[in-house]
Amino acid sequence: MKSSRVHILLISIGLLLLASCGQRYEAKQLVKSFVKEHATEKIDISSFSDLDSTKVISDSLLQVLQTNATKDTLFKDVHFTTQRTSPTLLYIRMRYGADSLNQSRTFYFDKDLTTIIAFK
């Protein structure tokens, strides 16, 4: 009886880990597509952080991030039409270039990982 509970617990943890890996992959693919479409120069992506979530980005801060992102000279033709659909945003940090510790952008997604809604 006890061992079956342990097995169920281990299987559940394994499934959660696989699901989070899938979400991270989706987020990375969205960022790579965005970079390919909007970069003004060749960007050599060196790494990505883990995908995480936040509830501390207010609507006004999100607007500031979107406005600043449209002025970022690393990217061209950036327009954000999708707004937040829930209080929780997902985000991932992309590091790039030779000095990847100092060169990075953080991308924010809706909770369903359908689009990038801001970056900084």
Side-chain angles (χ1 to χ4, degrees):
M1 183 69 125
K2 188 174 182 178
S3 70
S4 69
R5 287 183 186 161
V6 171
H7 284 108
I8 291 172
L9 179 63
L10 290 174
I11 290 170
S12 299
I13 290 171
L15 291 173
L16 285 173
L17 288 173
L18 286 175
S20 67
C21 289
Q23 283 187 316
R24 182 174 185 251
Y25 177 79
E26 285 180 49
K28 287 170 53 175
Q29 292 307 105
L30 279 171
V31 171
K32 286 178 181 180
S33 294
F34 180 88
V35 167
K36 185 177 180 180
E37 183 177 340
H38 296 284
T40 58
E41 61 188 61
K42 175 135 175 59
I43 297 176
D44 292 320
I45 299 171
S46 58
S47 67
F48 285 96
S49 68
D50 288 336
L51 184 66
D52 207 347
S53 63
T54 182
K55 290 184 178 183
V56 298
I57 305 288
S58 66
D59 287 339
S60 58
L61 179 55
L62 185 60
Q63 283 184 320
V64 169
L65 290 173
Q66 290 174 334
T67 300
N68 290 344
T70 62
K71 298 174 187 174
D72 189 332
T73 58
L74 188 61
F75 299 104
K76 64 179 187 248
D77 302 327
V78 176
H79 305 284
F80 298 103
T81 56
T82 304
Q83 297 300 316
R84 126 183 10 238
T85 57
S86 78
T88 302
L89 298 178
L90 299 176
Y91 68 92
I92 195 167
R93 175 170 282 195
M94 172 194 78
R95 290 182 178 81
Y96 63 94
D99 186 15
S100 60
L101 293 176
N102 293 325
Q103 296 184 29
S104 67
R105 294 293 188 279
T106 302
F107 291 85
Y108 295 90
F109 311 91
D110 60 338
K111 70 176 183 120
D112 298 321
L113 281 173
T114 57
T115 187
I116 295 171
I117 61 171
F119 69 87
K120 66 174 182 176

